């Protein structure tokens, strides 16, 4: 598939949606994004949305990234999830030696993926040596490079500490061919993400491929995008994926209600209970989406105007992302139950979206403890609602 000329990233995502939807069954069956989908995403620059412009990336505002993912998620949640994961991983380029960043992101396919924070590496002359295994690497089956977030153990066996006394964590990066992949992703939802595990044995990592990710002191890029941490952008991206999944599920329920009628019962479109459920779900989804995008937009406005990211900003982004994911899950539940027995057939896609949405709601960006963190901020630091910001 050739690049779509003259289209912005959101429009490209919309144009690719029919292809992604056609491939969704095969993505689900094989637990991998298919080659036609991966090639189309690469050729249209969708993996490079958050890559610095200095490396040929788009370096867009969060809203563009979020809207792109939302459009893809309407067609297939697994594709959107992998695209979101690998796009945010590319933000690491802002902390890397330029030659290292060029080697990772400008040699096709130029895709980086990683898993959960775990394990440690040993300091050796010129870099680090690693023997370890990591889990939850969404997008790793398409990636040309893999990463891992590790603590540093000095040559004398002591743990390297930051000035505040906390262990130093670096993101080590290495060619995917250097790792052994482990096929472990046997799950109920987001099945097509291929979120497998990977390991390395006695692997040498040159110093230039070990980034102090999200450490302002190590930042090499000046754009406002990189004042946001990767964790914040993960939250915004995955919340946007949730909105896309919820939108597609509710639209499918609305379409079903317009035409479905059971013998001896009112047509769904004439059923007062169905009408009320659709109205409430539509309001909930629109409100959640508006809140998410408004918060992201207000924080971005402040960031581009002042260059400063405050604790209030961080708290606002966390609350909006978490709450939106939970609201999207509620909308999907409503649409699924509204569809009745129709929803249990895999051909109708309700059940897949139901499973995908609940897999999203189980991951770290949606955990309930975020509300506790927000509550602490409100009670202890005078957190200001983004809705009241100027």
């Amino acid at each position: 598939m050739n690049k779509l000329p003259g289209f912005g990233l959101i429009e490209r995502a919309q144009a690719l949606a029919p292809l992604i939807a056609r491939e969704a069954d095969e993505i689900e069956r094989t637990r991998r994004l298919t080659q036609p989908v991966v090639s189309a995403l690469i050729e249209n620059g969708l993996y490079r949305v958050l890559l610095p412009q200095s490396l040929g990336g788009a370096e867009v505002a969060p809203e563009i990234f979020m809207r792109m993912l939302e459009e893809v998620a309407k067609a297939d949640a697994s594709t959107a999830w992998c695209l979101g994961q690998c796009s945010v991983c590319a933000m690491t380029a802002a902390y890397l030696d330029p030659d290292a960043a060029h080697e990772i992101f400008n040699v096709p396919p130029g895709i980086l993926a990683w898993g959960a924070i775990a394990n440690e590496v040993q300091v050796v002359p010129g870099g680090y040596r690693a023997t370890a295994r990591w889990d939850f690497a969404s997008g790793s089956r398409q990636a040309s490079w893999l990463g891992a977030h590790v603590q540093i153990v000095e040559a004398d066996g002591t743990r390297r500490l930051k000035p505040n006394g906390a262990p130093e964590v670096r993101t080590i990066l290495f060619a995917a061919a250097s790792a052994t992949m482990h096929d472990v992703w046997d799950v109920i939802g987001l099945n097509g993400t291929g979120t497998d595990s990977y390991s390395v044995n006695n692997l040498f990592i040159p110093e230039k491929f070990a980034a102090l990710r999200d450490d302002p002191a190590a930042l090499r890029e000046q754009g406002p995008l990189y004042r946001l941490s990767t964790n914040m952008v993960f939250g915004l991206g995955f919340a946007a994926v949730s909105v896309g999944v919820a939108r597609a599920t509710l639209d499918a329920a609305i379409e079903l209600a317009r035409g479905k009628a059971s013998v001896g019962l009112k047509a769904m479109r004439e059923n007062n209970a169905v009408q009320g459920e659709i109205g409430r779900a539509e309001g909930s989804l629109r409100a959640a989406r508006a809140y998410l995008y408004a918060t992201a937009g207000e924080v971005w406005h402040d960031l581009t105007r002042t260059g400063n990211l405050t604790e209030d900003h961080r708290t606002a982004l966390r609350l909006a992302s978490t709450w939106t994911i939970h609201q999207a899950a509620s909308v999907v539940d409503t649409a699924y139950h509204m569809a009745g027995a129709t929803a249990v057939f895999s051909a109708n896609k309700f059940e897949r979206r139901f499973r995908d949405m609940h897999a999203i709601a189980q991951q770290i960006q949606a955990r309930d403890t975020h509300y506790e963190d927000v509550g602490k901020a409100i009670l202890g630091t005078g957190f200001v609602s983004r809705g009241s910001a100027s």
Side-chain angles (χ1 to χ4, degrees):
M1 182 170 188
N2 295 324
K3 179 177 178 180
L4 300 165
F7 280 34
L9 288 162
I10 300 167
E11 291 77 17
R12 290 179 197 173
Q14 292 170 332
L16 292 177
L19 166 68
I20 296 169
R22 288 195 303 270
E23 295 288 316
D25 286 345
E26 187 68 4
I27 290 170
E28 180 79 2
R29 187 187 70 81
T30 61
R31 297 180 294 118
R32 308 281 188 274
L33 301 194
T34 61
Q35 194 55 52
V37 167
V38 174
S39 296
L41 296 175
I42 293 171
E43 290 169 14
N44 286 281
L46 269 61
Y47 280 109
R48 300 170 70 84
V49 61
L50 302 179
L51 190 68
Q53 290 183 5
S54 63
L55 290 167
E59 196 177 328
V60 301
E63 180 184 352
I64 303 299
F65 168 62
M66 293 157 64
R67 291 179 63 192
M68 179 191 78
L69 289 185
E70 187 181 349
E71 293 301 325
V72 174
K74 293 175 186 177
D76 180 58
S78 289
T79 301
W81 189 269
C82 287
L83 179 59
Q85 174 79 12
C86 295
S87 295
V88 177
C89 290
M91 291 176 67
T92 306
Y95 299 87
L96 282 170
D97 173 272
D99 290 340
H102 177 79
E103 184 176 345
I104 294 168
F105 297 105
N106 286 338
V107 176
I111 299 172
L112 170 66
W114 59 49
I117 296 175
N119 301 308
E120 59 190 31
V121 294
Q122 186 79 33
V123 174
V124 295
Y128 309 89
R129 194 161 294 280
T131 297
R133 174 169 168 163
W134 299 273
D135 303 317
F136 297 105
S138 297
S140 56
R141 294 297 182 169
Q142 298 84 54
S144 46
W145 284 75
L146 296 171
H149 319 303
V150 295
Q151 295 186 22
I152 307 299
V153 176
E154 301 287 4
D156 63 3
T158 61
R159 200 168 298 277
R160 183 182 295 173
L161 303 179
K162 297 191 293 187
N164 65 3
E168 180 180 285
V169 175
R170 285 184 177 256
T171 298
I172 58 170
L173 307 171
F174 44 89
S178 303
T180 299
M181 299 300 302
H182 304 277
D183 189 344
V184 299
W185 193 242
D186 184 9
V187 292
I188 67 165
L190 295 178
N191 203 40
T193 60
T195 303
D196 286 318
S197 302
Y198 56 105
S199 61
V200 298
N201 183 42
N202 199 32
L203 180 65
F204 174 68
I205 313 293
E207 182 70 43
K208 70 177 182 178
F209 291 106
L212 283 169
R213 179 180 60 104
D214 293 337
D215 184 339
L219 189 60
R220 294 173 179 266
E221 294 286 336
Q222 299 305 308
L225 175 63
Y226 306 107
R227 304 293 176 183
L228 297 169
S229 72
T230 53
N231 196 44
M232 294 174 202
V233 185
F234 274 133
L236 291 172
F238 293 149
V241 171
S242 300
V243 169
V245 174
R247 180 75 269 166
T249 312
L250 183 56
D251 284 349
I254 292 169
E255 187 63 27
L256 179 68
R258 285 172 176 156
K260 184 177 179 179
S262 300
V263 176
L265 298 175
K266 280 185 178 180
M268 282 185 70
R269 67 178 179 275
E270 298 172 0
N271 185 304
N272 297 85
V274 170
Q275 294 165 354
E277 290 281 20
I278 287 175
R280 284 188 288 270
E282 184 68 34
S284 294
L285 182 55
R286 291 190 189 191
R289 185 181 189 277
Y291 172 41
L292 177 69
Y293 280 91
T295 302
E298 289 169 4
V299 171
W300 184 250
H301 174 265
D302 290 351
L303 189 56
T304 54
R305 182 169 54 88
T306 68
N308 296 321
L309 187 74
T310 68
E311 285 302 314
D312 281 355
H313 291 140
R314 294 183 179 90
T315 303
L317 292 174
R318 171 53 60 208
L319 180 58
S321 298
T322 304
W323 189 81
T324 296
I325 293 172
H326 292 168
Q327 288 298 111
S330 179
V331 169
V332 168
D333 287 353
T334 296
Y336 180 84
H337 291 298
M338 192 190 312
T342 300
V344 305
F345 291 93
S346 59
N348 292 322
K349 304 299 183 289
F350 283 99
E351 61 86 28
R352 181 187 301 169
R353 289 171 178 146
F354 179 87
R355 292 186 287 106
D356 287 341
M357 185 66 247
H358 283 277
I360 293 170
Q362 289 294 107
Q363 52 80 44
I364 194 169
Q365 299 296 340
R367 62 186 180 187
D368 284 338
T369 54
H370 294 317
Y371 294 125
E372 296 175 22
D373 295 336
V374 172
K376 289 178 185 177
I378 292 172
L379 293 171
T381 64
F383 165 70
V384 178
S385 167
R386 299 309 305 160
S388 63
S390 59

